[in-house]
């Protein structure tokens, strides 16, 4: 699952456009997903875009129905990680820890988290608090912080007067 606070990437046209480029079945699973389509998306999607609310209210409580996904889970991408702070961040952290426990119960506990944010001054600290991974986390798994910007940009000049 990809956890997006606003599901900007979860707009219906995107999965249909991006999935075929990589040979993947990509689907959204959110509050707007029609009931009659939910089972097919749960059972037939290789990439599932959802949000913390749906993970908490629909996926984790019905974990037996999601056993196939939980047992094969490889990556959980948390986009816009800087949004998960304060009380809301604590709740999301609890949901992510519950996801980890349930995936382990179904044999899929070896997945990795990837947290993304372009506006975070302390990515390592937030990542550890949010997922329980890395330095200081219960899992003890290694943590890699990518904090360089490789995007192209013009030459800069600094002028002082």
């Amino acid at each position: 699952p990809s956890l997006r606070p606003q599901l900007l990437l979860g707009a219906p046209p995107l999965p249909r456009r991006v999935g075929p480029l990589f040979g993947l079945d990509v689907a959204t699973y959110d509050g707007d997903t029609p009931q009659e389509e939910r089972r097919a998306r749960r059972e037939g999607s290789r990439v599932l875009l959802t949000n913390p609310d749906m993970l908490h209210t629909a996926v984790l409580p019905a974990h037996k129905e999601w056993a196939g996904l939980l047992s094969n889970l490889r990556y959980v991408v948390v986009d816009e990680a800087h949004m998960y702070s304060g009380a809301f961040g604590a709740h999301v952290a609890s949901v992510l820890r519950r996801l980890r426990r349930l995936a382990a119960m179904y044999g899929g506990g070896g997945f990795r988290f990837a947290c993304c944010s372009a506006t975070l001054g302390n990515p390592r600290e937030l990542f550890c608090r949010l997922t329980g991974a890395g330095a200081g986390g219960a899992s003890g798994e290694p943590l890699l912080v990518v904090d360089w910007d490789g995007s192209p940009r013009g030459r800069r000049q600094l002028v002082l007067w």
Side-chain angles (χ1 to χ4, degrees):
S2 172
L3 303 179
R4 299 191 52 80
Q6 299 169 344
L7 271 180
L8 297 175
L9 285 180
L14 185 75
R16 287 194 296 270
R17 286 184 290 169
V18 172
L21 293 175
F22 299 99
L24 299 172
D25 293 318
V26 180
T28 58
Y29 193 91
D30 59 20
D32 294 330
T33 303
Q35 289 292 331
E36 62 272 10
E37 293 181 23
R38 291 184 180 201
R39 182 176 182 179
R41 292 184 187 193
R42 178 179 66 237
E43 295 175 359
S45 300
R46 298 253 341 256
V47 176
L48 192 65
L49 304 174
T50 191
N51 57 50
D53 293 329
M54 286 301 285
L55 196 58
H56 175 67
T57 60
V59 176
L60 300 180
H63 57 87
K64 290 178 184 175
E65 295 176 13
W66 291 86
L69 182 133
L70 293 169
S71 66
N72 291 299
L73 195 57
R74 295 294 170 255
Y75 301 98
V76 174
V77 180
V78 182
D79 199 10
E80 303 295 340
H82 60 274
M83 299 292 293
Y84 304 113
S85 61
F88 182 56
H91 290 292
V92 171
S94 294
V95 169
L96 294 178
R97 284 167 175 74
R98 186 170 175 211
L99 173 65
R100 184 189 295 274
R101 286 192 305 273
L102 287 171
M105 185 173 93
Y106 289 102
F111 69 86
R112 294 184 180 263
F113 283 106
C115 293
C116 308
S117 176
T119 60
L120 201 56
N122 58 343
R124 181 179 302 276
E125 180 185 338
L126 178 67
F127 182 81
C128 291
R129 282 187 298 157
L130 195 57
T131 67
S139 70
E141 64 192 70
L143 175 63
L144 172 66
V145 174
V146 178
D147 58 359
W148 56 271
D149 181 0
S151 62
R153 62 177 165 234
R155 196 171 136 212
R156 294 183 188 179
Q157 293 182 1
L158 177 63
V159 179
L160 300 172
W161 70 95

